[in-house]
Amino acid sequence: MTGTVDLAVVGLGPAGRALAHRAAGRGLSVVAVDPHPDRPWSPTYAAWVDELPRWLGSGVLRSRVPHPQAFGTRTHLLDRAYGVLDNTALHRALDVADVRLVRGLADTVTAETVVLRDGTEIRAHRVIDARGLRPDPALAEQTAFGIVLPTSAAAPALGDADCWFMDWRRDNGTSQTDPPSFLYAVPLSDDAMLLEETCLAGRPGLTQGELRRRLDTRLRNRGVEPPANLEVERVRFPVEAPRHTSDVAAFGARAGLIHPGTGYSVAASLSAVDDVVAALVAGHDVGKALWPWRARAVLSLREVGLAALLRLDPANTAVFFDAFFALPVERQRAYLSGRDDLSGTATTMWTLFRTVPPPIRRTLAEAGIRRS
């Protein structure tokens, strides 16, 4: 392929497509490489509504819940709107009509070239790798198994809740000594509900077979009898990224924009994309634009939180999340969202440390010592 473009983006998931879309909108010449550039995205992506950048608009939401609930050992009503993204609408909003799309697998990626498996070479002033992360035994991961049910059929699993952001009750056939998992139950539309048994973080995470068994048990215990031939969702991805040592700039989950405590990365990537594009336009270092010192410090604190989750006694998990969801919503938001509120993140963690029972406090302290 002749000519050198301003930017080559490798990977067209939500992060890569957002980068290509916003860069082309700023007048850069952009090539995007993906084996299936037009294939619809199949995973369920969700976010707190206030995380989404204003330029995206609210039309990308498939469903919206004003007050989701969480359950540790008691119910918590969360005063923060939560939404499921409409993948088709998001795909359409991240228009790439001004981007040259190249169908193929990248074999070699350097700071200024992409070589495909068929030998095609793409030259660019900047190459950004947005191919996401693959499961790795060295990385903590989140796993989940879910089914989609008609809302009426799923109703007994939710009780009076419109949405369970997390439901840690052990009616899934586990004991206090088993690795915990929670029910994630979120409306996809007025007529469909996703019910998912989720292992928040493990090294490794719980298997699909174990999660399916737990979900079946939980639903039976709540009077739900799923019909045959259901739509199924299987989830497995790292919740931490390896330290970036390549000279190739990265974006999205591959760049570490994945929250170590929740596994969410799409909203963070959408919010960070304009900082990266501004750096590209100005000829500045993309990595420094993406990771100013406050963002690095916030990530380090959240990695301490992940270490604590991995060390937490299973019997204390529900109590830990009771304490977290009892915090004021602004404290929850500081930890769950954004990347540069160092004071807010530290205050949330310190407040949580002071309010949890002593056994959990010891675990949090040990996690901090081991990460220091």
Side-chain angles (χ1 to χ4, degrees):
M1 184 175 294
T2 59
T4 301
V5 297
D6 294 321
L7 172 66
V9 179
V10 185
L12 280 177
R17 191 174 176 96
L19 177 58
H21 165 73
R22 296 297 279 179
R26 289 290 301 272
L28 299 180
S29 56
V30 183
V31 170
V33 178
D34 192 276
H36 307 283
D38 300 316
R39 176 184 288 178
W41 301 315
S42 57
T44 300
Y45 300 121
W48 300 102
V49 174
D50 57 27
E51 292 179 312
L52 299 174
R54 291 184 179 180
W55 58 260
L56 192 61
S58 60
V60 297
L61 289 176
R62 184 177 179 181
S63 68
R64 186 181 188 275
V65 181
H67 299 286
Q69 295 190 45
F71 197 104
T73 64
R74 61 186 186 275
T75 300
H76 304 266
L77 186 67
L78 309 183
D79 190 21
R80 192 180 181 198
Y82 185 74
V84 175
L85 292 165
D86 182 327
N87 289 357
T88 301
L90 180 62
H91 208 268
R92 185 168 52 247
L94 303 178
D95 176 62
V96 288
D98 295 327
V99 176
R100 190 192 316 166
L101 301 180
V102 177
R103 188 183 303 271
L105 284 167
D107 189 50
T108 304
V109 179
T110 71
E112 296 181 347
T113 61
V114 181
V115 180
L116 307 187
R117 287 188 181 178
D118 65 5
T120 300
E121 182 178 271
I122 298 165
R123 295 191 295 275
H125 294 298
R126 305 294 286 273
V127 173
I128 297 185
D129 194 343
R131 288 178 292 181
L133 290 173
R134 294 183 177 276
D136 184 324
L139 302 176
E141 63 182 10
Q142 184 173 126
T143 55
F145 177 87
I147 60 174
V148 177
L149 284 179
T151 300
S152 57
L158 280 86
D160 295 331
D162 295 324
C163 164
W164 284 117
F165 179 67
M166 288 181 171
D167 181 349
W168 291 96
R169 281 173 282 191
R170 286 189 178 269
D171 56 352
N172 58 358
T174 62
S175 72
Q176 291 292 318
T177 59
D178 290 319
S181 59
F182 65 90
L183 175 67
Y184 173 73
V186 61
L188 302 179
S189 66
D190 290 340
D191 303 319
M193 183 75 62
L194 173 65
L195 303 175
E196 204 161 73
E197 192 75 20
T198 304
C199 169
L200 182 59
R203 192 181 286 120
L206 294 171
T207 66
Q208 295 293 310
E210 174 63 13
L211 290 165
R212 183 169 195 165
R213 183 194 67 76
R214 292 185 182 195
L215 180 62
D216 288 345
T217 301
R218 189 190 297 274
L219 295 183
R220 282 198 305 271
N221 285 334
R222 298 191 187 189
V224 176
E225 292 294 336
N229 302 319
L230 290 171
E231 181 183 345
V232 168
E233 179 167 84
R234 295 177 175 86
V235 175
R236 184 188 180 198
F237 59 83
V239 293
E240 57 183 344
R243 294 300 179 187
H244 190 71
T245 57
S246 171
D247 62 347
V248 181
F251 187 61
R254 197 178 190 92
L257 295 182
I258 190 161
H259 194 298
T262 65
Y264 289 8
S265 66
V266 172
S269 299
L270 293 170
S271 296
V273 68
D274 281 351
D275 292 335
V276 172
V277 171
L280 289 167
V281 171
H284 295 162
D285 186 288
V286 168
K288 289 181 179 179
L290 193 58
W291 290 107
W293 73 268
R294 286 184 181 275
R296 295 197 306 271
V298 167
L299 177 61
S300 294
L301 288 177
R302 289 172 175 168
E303 287 174 339
V304 171
L306 172 61
L309 283 176
L310 294 171
R311 295 172 61 87
L312 194 62
D313 184 336
N316 289 328
T317 301
V319 176
F320 172 85
F321 282 100
D322 272 336
F324 181 82
F325 288 117
L327 296 175
V329 69
E330 62 269 19
R331 295 273 63 84
Q332 297 176 35
R333 182 186 290 110
Y335 187 79
L336 294 175
S337 303
R339 301 176 53 244
D340 59 1
D341 186 1
L342 179 56
S343 174
T345 303
T347 299
T348 297
M349 295 178 72
W350 174 244
T351 304
L352 186 63
F353 180 82
R354 289 189 295 108
T355 56
V356 295
I360 299 177
R361 198 176 303 163
R362 285 194 294 272
T363 300
L364 299 181
E366 290 167 359
I369 292 170
R370 290 178 67 88
R371 292 291 305 181
S372 63

